[in-house]
Amino acid sequence: MFKHLLVPVDGSDVSKKSLKKVAALAKADGAAVTLVYVSDPMPPLVYSDSTMSYGISAKEHKDACAEYAKDVFKKSATALGASIKAKSLHIQNSNLSEGILDGKAKKAKADVIVMASHKRTGIKGVLLGSETHEVIVHSKLPVLVLG
């Protein structure tokens, strides 16, 4: 049915759980998989943890995002299983849905986008919106939403 799956990942539990379904779909169709992670290119004004806050340069932020993306891809590849050799694509864009639909993602030549839904409802859905919904609305490819 599908030959190439474009799979946005973010390291969340929802994303990790959906990868089992992605693996089953890829195996059933013999499809290639490209994992996509989108990070914001602009560093926040202040990074903080529970004990201190500190500023960070754009280069340090970019390096930190690249390192985090590498970790997300590694964990996602493990969740997919050894039989699926997934490619990875780290995109920098301040808008998650635009990043997923970015020209670099188009170059992956996927024929479907497979996304997990965080199922935000109520006030969270209104305030945070739905990135999945944005991708569905603006994508020229079919979007398969996993619950």
Side-chain angles (χ1 to χ4, degrees), residues 108-125:
K109 297 185 179 172
D111 55 355
V112 64
I113 299 171
V114 183
M115 294 183 71
S117 174
H118 287 259
K119 298 181 183 175
R120 291 187 180 114
T121 59
I123 195 73
K124 279 186 179 179

Side-chain angles (χ1 to χ4, degrees), residues 2 5-6 23 38-40 43 52 67 70-71 73 78 86 89 94 101 107 112-114 116 119 121 133 139:
F2 298 114
L5 314 176
L6 186 71
V38 180
S39 62
D40 193 334
M52 61 184 273
E67 196 62 35
K70 190 187 313 183
D71 185 56
F73 291 141
T78 300
L89 181 59
S94 58
L101 300 171
K107 288 181 183 177
V112 64
I113 299 171
V114 183
K119 298 181 183 175
T121 59
H133 180 261
S139 178

Side-chain angles (χ1 to χ4, degrees), residues 46-54:
V46 175
Y47 268 70
S48 68
D49 60 21
S50 61
T51 59
M52 61 184 273
S53 298
Y54 52 94

